[in-house]
Amino acid sequence: MAAASPFPRRRTDRVEDAVAVLLCALGVVVLVVAALLGVMAHGSVTARASAQSVDRVRVTATITRVVGPTVPAAPSGPGGRRVLADWTAPDGTPRTGEVTTPVSAAPGSVVPLWVDRAGAAVRAPVSPRSAPLVGAVVGIGIALLGAALLLVVWRVVRRVAAGRNAEAWARGWAEVEPTWSGRTNAT
């Protein structure tokens, strides 16, 4: 038989304690899952960067003429424009096609260009240096989302417990107040 606590405990206190322990355990699980997913995201970006670095080659292209107007980029980027350019594919065959270059590139200038093994223009390969950032963002993002969800659950439990406690206090006061205030002649 367990020893009685020197402090009286309400049922809501025991429920809050149990939920707190459960949420702490779930918090540890969330951290482990966040770390694992961060590591997986890091590995995925590293693998993609490795595969793209094998399949993509950097060549130089000569701009022959401007094809279109300036293409706006992201709000922080300088934008670019579509041009017609000539380059040599990795197998030595000459190629011509439309590519996007910096706005400052003029006809006759040479610009770097990434091509696949067939010689078609492609985006630059993913940098392996971005893998730690992606892994950290995924891991921290999941940890923060999990923590926010657990915090919401804790707040709901606390609010419900506080409401129940307030109801119990009101019932208890309704029983004691008439005697305490002297409105009844209880002896």
Side-chain angles (χ1 to χ4, degrees):
M1 184 168 167
S5 171
F7 304 107
R9 292 176 42 99
R10 300 171 289 203
R11 181 173 180 237
T12 54
D13 294 334
R14 291 188 299 270
V15 169
E16 281 184 14
D17 290 347
V19 170
V21 169
L22 177 64
L23 291 178
C24 286
L26 288 174
V28 170
V29 170
V30 165
L31 288 176
V32 169
V33 168
L36 288 174
L37 291 176
V39 168
M40 288 172 57
H42 177 277
S44 174
V45 171
T46 301
R48 186 170 37 166
S50 178
Q52 286 181 355
S53 68
V54 170
D55 293 336
R56 297 179 183 192
V57 177
R58 186 174 175 156
V59 297
T60 57
T62 304
I63 298 173
T64 55
R65 69 181 167 98
V66 175
V67 175
T70 300
V71 178
S76 62
R81 67 175 162 191
R82 299 295 293 172
V83 298
L84 192 62
D86 297 328
W87 67 90
T88 303
D91 64 2
T93 59
R95 299 292 173 120
T96 300
E98 279 189 28
V99 295
T100 302
T101 62
V103 175
S104 61
S109 61
V110 177
V111 293
L113 178 68
W114 287 93
V115 297
D116 60 14
R117 292 290 171 197
V122 293
R123 290 181 179 245
V126 174
S127 170
R129 289 181 286 171
S130 64
L133 177 64
V134 171
V137 167
V138 168
I140 291 170
I142 290 173
L144 290 175
L145 286 174
L149 179 63
L150 294 175
L151 181 62
V152 167
V153 171
W154 177 243
R155 294 275 183 149
V156 168
V157 168
R158 292 288 311 249
R159 182 166 289 196
V160 169
R164 298 265 170 100
N165 290 342
E167 290 170 5
W169 275 103
R171 283 192 307 272
W173 181 247
E175 292 174 13
V176 173
E177 188 272 334
T179 305
W180 180 80
S181 66
R183 290 190 295 143
T184 64
N185 293 333
T187 48

